[in-house]
Amino acid sequence: MNEQISYSRMQTFWLVALRLLIGWHFLYEGIVKILNSGWTAYPYLMDSQGFFAEYFYSLADNPSLLAVSNYFNIYGLTFIGLALILGCFSRIASIGGVFFLAMYYLSHPPFIGAQYMMPTEGSYLWVDKNLIEIGALMVLIYFPTSRIIGLDRYISRLFKRKSS
């Protein structure tokens, strides 16, 4: 796949800024969980509502599945954040970020009448910050910048040399 990317300076700047901001958000959320040795997804999962609530309750109620969920949350968020910030495998990281955010959205959908233990920043109706960040990650998937500014620039060159 020979992909020639050409954006204006401002397009590149704002796409990279978007990648860095989302990367920071994921990295920070992961690091906070790493530093809090007692962190668990249990209360969040048990606070689930909507069509998939039973699925999230079953994750929380099974100690093995909860441990896996905790691990993937902690390290998945951290690695996605690092990858986006460094511009390393950012398409894969963006797809992973979409998956994480979709799970958070399905666990706590912003429906009329839904009230959660965890505080939110405002009142939402169908569209919340998770859905908006999914949209932003989709932009990054289809308008990649890591081959312009990021480690993917060097990784892609390395793979081109090996295939030649």
Side-chain angles (χ1 to χ4, degrees):
M1 170 167 98
N2 190 5
E3 192 176 312
Q4 190 66 19
I5 300 171
S6 180
Y7 305 127
S8 73
R9 291 178 74 111
M10 290 310 291
Q11 287 171 325
T12 302
F13 174 83
W14 286 110
L15 287 168
V16 170
L18 181 64
R19 192 184 83 215
L20 293 172
L21 291 169
I22 294 172
W24 172 255
H25 179 226
F26 272 83
L27 179 61
Y28 178 78
E29 289 293 331
I31 288 175
V32 164
K33 290 167 180 55
I34 288 171
L35 296 177
N36 180 354
S37 62
W39 180 86
T40 178
Y42 182 84
Y44 186 82
L45 293 169
M46 292 306 292
D47 193 33
S48 297
Q49 293 185 30
F51 304 114
F52 298 96
E54 290 301 320
Y55 168 73
F56 294 110
Y57 299 155
S58 68
L59 285 177
D61 284 335
N62 182 317
S64 297
L65 291 177
L66 179 61
V68 169
S69 177
N70 289 340
Y71 181 85
F72 276 109
N73 263 284
I74 291 168
Y75 296 104
L77 291 169
T78 303
F79 290 129
I80 289 168
L82 278 174
L84 289 172
I85 289 170
L86 297 174
C88 181
F89 304 110
S90 23
R91 182 166 278 160
I92 294 167
S94 294
I95 292 167
V98 167
F99 173 77
F100 271 75
L101 293 165
M103 291 294 103
Y104 301 148
Y105 183 86
L106 292 173
S107 174
H108 286 71
F111 294 157
I112 295 172
Q115 293 186 6
Y116 299 104
M117 289 186 315
M118 313 259 177
T120 60
E121 288 101 26
S123 299
Y124 301 109
L125 179 58
W126 303 312
V127 177
D128 65 359
K129 64 183 178 184
N130 291 321
L131 199 57
I132 293 167
E133 201 164 20
I134 287 171
L137 283 169
M138 294 304 295
V139 168
L140 295 177
I141 290 169
Y142 288 99
F143 295 92
T145 59
S146 60
R147 288 192 179 181
I148 300 168
I149 298 174
L151 293 180
D152 283 341
R153 178 178 183 175
Y154 304 104
I155 292 169
S156 67
R157 287 181 188 169
L158 182 67
F159 282 114
K160 283 181 185 175
R161 283 189 197 144
K162 286 187 177 184
S163 66
S164 298

